[in-house]
Structure formats: C-alpha cells, structure tokens
Amino acid sequence: MQSLGLHKLAQVSCVAVTNKQPKPRRPAAKPKDAAPQRSYSLRNRGQPAAGAPSQAGPSQEPDPNVQPPVAARHFDDSSVISYMCQQVPDISQQAGAADHRTTSGFSEMPGWLTDSKLARAYSMDASGMLLAAGGKNGHASVFGIQQALAGEEGGTGPLLSAKLHKSWIADVQLLPADGLSLHAAALPTLLTASNDGSVRLWDLSKGCDGMPLELAQADDLHTGGIWSMQCRAGQIATASKDCSLVVSSLCPGGAIVALSVRPQQHAGAAKCARWSSDHVLATCGNDMCIKVVDIRNSSGSQLTIQAAHDGCVNCVRWHPNTEHLLLSGGTDPCLHLWDLRRSQQPLFTFQGHTPMSR
C-alpha cells in the first residue's frame, strides 16, 4: 500500500510542473460476485418496486400489534349464533311450556357459568337460552345456559367474552330481534351502558377476534357516567351521575337520538330508571327520592316520594302485573313495596339484608 501511495504522489507532482492533463483512469471494475443494487417502494412494505428483481430471503410480515380499521375487519358468524342454532328445538319447546308456568321459588343447579376475565358482574339479563353479564373494566360476557339447565356438573365458559367499554358497565340488556327493525336476524342484540357515558348496541351473530359487531353508539347523551339503562319499544331510558334522565330513540341505520332530556331529574346522582309502560317510568337517586314520570308531559314529575329510604335509593322495579305497585331498594338496607295510589307510607317493608360495610 505504501508504494502505491508514493506513485500517486509523484504523478500529481508531475502534472503540476508540466501543466499537462493526465489521461483519465478507467473506473475500477466491480467484483464479479457483487450483488446488483435494487430499488424498493416505501408504499409496499418489504416488496420491490415495479420492474425491480425480487429480493432474496423471507418477506417482511406486518406488525401484529397494529389493528386494522373496523371497516377493514372481516366479521364472521360468531360462536353465539352457532350455539343458538343447536338449541332452536329446545327453545321452542321450553317457550311454549313457560307460558303456563308460574314462579314458585328457586332451585340450585349443579352447573355454573364462569369467565375469569369478568372480575365483577354489575348487571345481568337473560333471554331464551342466553345470559349476558357486564361489569368491571367494561367487560361483558354472553353465556349459553343449556348445560346448567341440563344438569351437567362443572363450570361453563362464555360464548363471547370481550371488553366493550372503557369503564365499568352499568347495565346490559338482550333485545329481541323481532322487535327491533334495525336488526332482522333471529338472534338477540346486546345493548350496553357504561360509566364512560356511552350507550352501544352489538350484533351477537357476528364476531371478529372475539369482538361483536357494533351496530350503534351514542357518546353524548350525558356529561357523566351512566348508572342505569333500560330499553322498551325502541326507547332507551338512561340515568346518570350528572343527575339527568335522558330518553333516546333507537333508530334504523345505527343512530341513537335523544328525544327527552331532564337535566335535574334528581338533586344528586340518578341511580336507576325503569319503564312501566311505553310512556311512564320511575327513577330514583342519591337524594333519597323516587319519581314517576310521564315522558309526554314535559312540566315535571307525575309523582314524587320524598325520603323514600333512610339513604340513597339505588334501584326501582315495577310489579309485572299490577301497574300501581313499585319496589325500591336503598342503602338503609331495606326493600319497600309502594302502592302509588297511597304513597305516603310503604305498603310493606322487606328486611333481612345487613348494612353496607365501609
């Protein structure tokens, strides 16, 4: 290498003295085994540009942590609809028999329903051979209860288990498909409301990576978390931490539109809202009051029961056959049965629960 460097130095000195241009040197030939240069397009991840030779070696795989947009996902038949198709004969037989039965008590079954991802269940609803539960961390599960009814021992896992909301789910409801023009399938849809302030409708017949297909959503009904939700005849009643009661309409095409907003339904958080008919519902809240509302009347509550409990009133339920009977539960901890025709005092008080520990 030293002799080559001295030779170059002498050649440069000669050029400076004689002022003659040196003959152009030929470029060094490329080694025969040098790999040809390739051109690639950044638009195609790991793929050569048009006209370029293919690259040797394995192609680059897409990042598995990057989820495709919802519109690009492929939703296929879910395990819920597969289960329901297997139970169709049993459901029709049991539905006919249920019309002539009355509830006389409770019996314990050898089987149980379990989902390790559902740490706490805050709401449950059953329809036919399905049971839906929602709770902590926005998680919801849908179970087939045929195994428990058939007397099979052991735990039965969920047909669907997914995180549907950002915060805990306050209420879940299975809506019959025949009463909902938005969805014409024979499988019930799932309506959920959450502490994140949103209401969402899910198609249980379609799934992608464990998630059901979302049909409708509303994120602007309340300014606080939702404590309670119930749908009747396409109208959704929601009670919220922001003290308000909102009645919304479930419209074809995937829209949930507010029809009636009562911003100060209660002096504290509104804890529960339950329909009695298509126009009348009852609410309760942290102000210890129960209110009965006719949504056709915008002037206020039809009936108010002050100091209904010695603490917050957490829930209300209507008698299934007698329209003037209402049951309420509070933190006192008692259950009061009210005759709304004479609501000065409870018709009956059920005791047996212990006070809530703090």
Side-chain angles (χ1 to χ4, degrees):
M1 296 295 295
Q2 279 186 343
S3 60
L4 179 60
L6 293 175
H7 175 72
K8 287 184 177 181
L9 181 60
Q11 189 180 35
V12 172
S13 301
C14 180
V15 171
V17 173
T18 60
N19 196 22
K20 293 182 180 181
Q21 296 294 330
K23 296 181 179 180
R25 300 181 59 185
R26 294 180 179 178
K30 295 182 179 179
K32 294 182 179 181
D33 56 349
Q37 293 183 354
R38 297 178 174 88
S39 175
Y40 297 95
S41 171
L42 296 178
R43 294 177 300 168
N44 303 318
R45 302 178 60 181
Q47 299 296 326
S54 60
Q55 183 182 10
S59 60
Q60 297 182 8
E61 297 293 335
D63 188 354
N65 296 322
V66 177
Q67 293 291 335
V70 175
R73 298 181 188 176
H74 175 69
F75 286 85
D76 205 350
D77 289 344
S78 68
S79 56
V80 179
I81 195 171
S82 300
Y83 167 83
M84 292 294 289
C85 290
Q86 298 172 3
Q87 308 301 326
V88 167
D90 296 332
I91 293 176
S92 59
Q93 295 174 5
Q94 294 183 15
D99 295 338
H100 305 285
R101 293 184 299 180
T102 58
T103 302
S104 58
F106 299 94
S107 62
E108 184 176 355
M109 297 181 179
W112 63 87
L113 307 174
T114 179
D115 183 3
S116 60
K117 296 181 179 180
L118 185 62
R120 294 180 183 175
Y122 299 146
S123 175
M124 293 187 296
D125 188 37
S127 175
M129 290 289 100
L130 293 179
L131 184 143
K136 189 176 181 181
N137 297 328
H139 203 88
S141 306
V142 177
F143 300 90
I145 60 178
Q146 179 60 32
Q147 288 178 286
L149 292 175
E152 298 182 11
E153 296 185 359
T156 300
L159 301 171
L160 182 147
S161 178
K163 182 179 175 64
L164 303 184
H165 287 269
K166 298 177 182 179
S167 186
W168 52 269
I169 295 177
D171 254 325
V172 296
Q173 186 177 355
L174 290 166
L175 301 181
D178 55 357
L180 186 65
S181 58
L182 175 64
H183 190 60
L187 192 69
T189 51
L190 179 64
L191 188 67
T192 59
S194 168
N195 185 52
D196 62 14
S198 68
V199 176
R200 298 175 186 270
L201 181 67
W202 307 91
D203 182 355
L204 297 181
S205 68
K206 299 295 182 181
C208 177
D209 298 329
M211 282 289 294
L213 175 63
E214 185 178 275
L215 297 175
Q217 69 174 41
D219 299 318
D220 56 354
L221 300 177
H222 296 275
T223 59
I226 296 176
W227 270 110
S228 174
M229 175 273 302
Q230 188 188 31
C231 181
R232 180 186 175 101
Q235 296 186 122
I236 307 171
T238 49
S240 170
K241 291 180 176 180
D242 62 8
C243 311
S244 70
L245 168 68
V246 176
V247 176
S248 308
S249 176
L250 188 56
C251 303
I256 300 177
V257 181
L259 299 177
S260 172
V261 179
R262 297 173 184 256
Q264 294 297 323
Q265 177 68 9
H266 288 273
K271 286 292 192 65
C272 187
R274 284 296 181 269
W275 291 101
S276 170
S277 65
D278 293 349
H279 306 290
V280 177
L281 54 83
T283 67
C284 62
N286 284 354
D287 56 1
M288 302 185 292
C289 294
I290 297 174
K291 296 186 177 184
V292 178
V293 176
D294 189 330
I295 61 173
R296 295 170 297 184
N297 182 7
S298 60
S299 61
S301 300
Q302 182 178 351
L303 172 68
T304 299
I305 303 177
Q306 302 284 351
H309 286 260
D310 293 333
C312 302
V313 189
N314 293 330
C315 61
V316 287
R317 294 293 186 273
W318 292 94
H319 192 281
N321 302 319
T322 308
E323 62 180 9
H324 59 266
L325 293 182
L326 181 69
L327 189 68
S328 63
T331 57
D332 34 13
C334 296
L335 297 176
H336 292 327
L337 180 63
W338 301 91
D339 185 342
L340 299 183
R341 299 171 301 179
R342 297 177 293 273
S343 59
Q344 293 79 9
Q345 296 292 331
L347 183 64
F348 193 83
T349 297
F350 301 89
Q351 295 180 332
H353 292 278
T354 57
M356 182 178 61
S357 59
R358 298 185 181 275

